[in-house]
Amino acid sequence: MRLTTKGRYAVTAMLDLAINAGISPTSLGDISQRQGISLSYLEQLFARLRRAGLVKSVRGPGGGYLLAQPASEISVSLVIDAVDETVDATRCQGLSDCQQGDTCLTHHLWCELSGQIRQFLDDVTLEQLLQRNDVQQVASRQQARLDAGIFASTP
């Protein structure tokens, strides 16, 4: 399974953006503090997310980022794809050359698993995640800490 930090952080940042979507843009600094993701890493991720048309930037005082599409139209797989992440359970990255140029004994099993994971991530949108009670509880806690000046540690 190859979902790295890049993919997880991109989904987390996009969900944070969706949670805090409102009249004004959300700054990467606020996302960084709430989620404990370094600002420079977020800048790299958001450049890719912007190129993919998932976010739009607003410059100037009070600037930041907004979702470029409704949260109901942004699937987790779109976010992962935007940052060039793959969700692949095969050792050969689906190329069928797992065993000295040939397909290994379990290649098709891992390909099917990859397909199931992909379908699951295609079917989950930011809007659906927003509606989850556990997500709302964590978001409330994170915002309360930000408001109180208690920040998450940034790796």
Side-chain angles (χ1 to χ4, degrees):
M1 190 66 190
R2 288 185 189 90
L3 183 59
T4 64
T5 302
K6 180 171 47 172
R8 287 193 305 271
Y9 280 0
V11 172
T12 298
M14 285 292 287
L15 184 56
D16 185 290
L17 188 63
I19 288 167
N20 293 289
I23 299 168
S24 62
T26 301
S27 76
L28 293 184
D30 285 349
I31 295 172
S32 173
Q33 290 176 340
R34 278 190 294 267
Q35 303 309 324
I37 304 171
S38 80
L39 184 57
S40 63
Y41 200 69
L42 283 173
E43 288 167 347
Q44 294 171 35
L45 292 175
F46 271 74
R48 291 177 181 210
L49 294 167
R50 188 173 42 79
R51 281 193 298 273
L54 297 180
V55 298
K56 55 186 173 184
S57 61
V58 177
R59 296 182 183 261
Y65 285 88
L66 299 166
L67 295 176
Q69 303 172 31
S72 60
E73 294 178 18
I74 301 174
S75 68
V76 172
S77 64
L78 280 175
V79 176
I80 290 170
D81 289 345
V83 297
D84 298 323
E85 186 67 42
T86 62
V87 180
D88 181 14
T90 66
R91 191 174 71 200
C92 64
Q93 287 121 11
L95 299 175
S96 300
D97 62 354
C98 357
Q99 194 170 39
Q100 301 160 355
D102 291 325
T103 303
C104 72
L105 194 59
T106 55
H107 175 80
H108 298 289
L109 171 69
W110 304 130
C111 282
E112 289 174 21
L113 175 60
S114 295
Q116 292 289 320
I117 294 168
R118 177 64 183 210
Q119 186 61 54
F120 173 77
L121 297 176
D122 281 343
D123 291 343
V124 177
T125 66
L126 294 180
E127 178 67 31
Q128 290 170 322
L129 293 174
L130 283 172
Q131 294 173 4
R132 292 177 56 144
N133 286 332
D134 57 331
V135 169
Q136 289 298 320
Q137 290 171 353
V138 172
S140 294
R141 183 194 71 225
Q142 290 173 337
Q143 188 59 48
R145 287 182 177 167
L146 181 65
D147 293 342
I150 303 168
F151 306 122
S153 62
T154 304

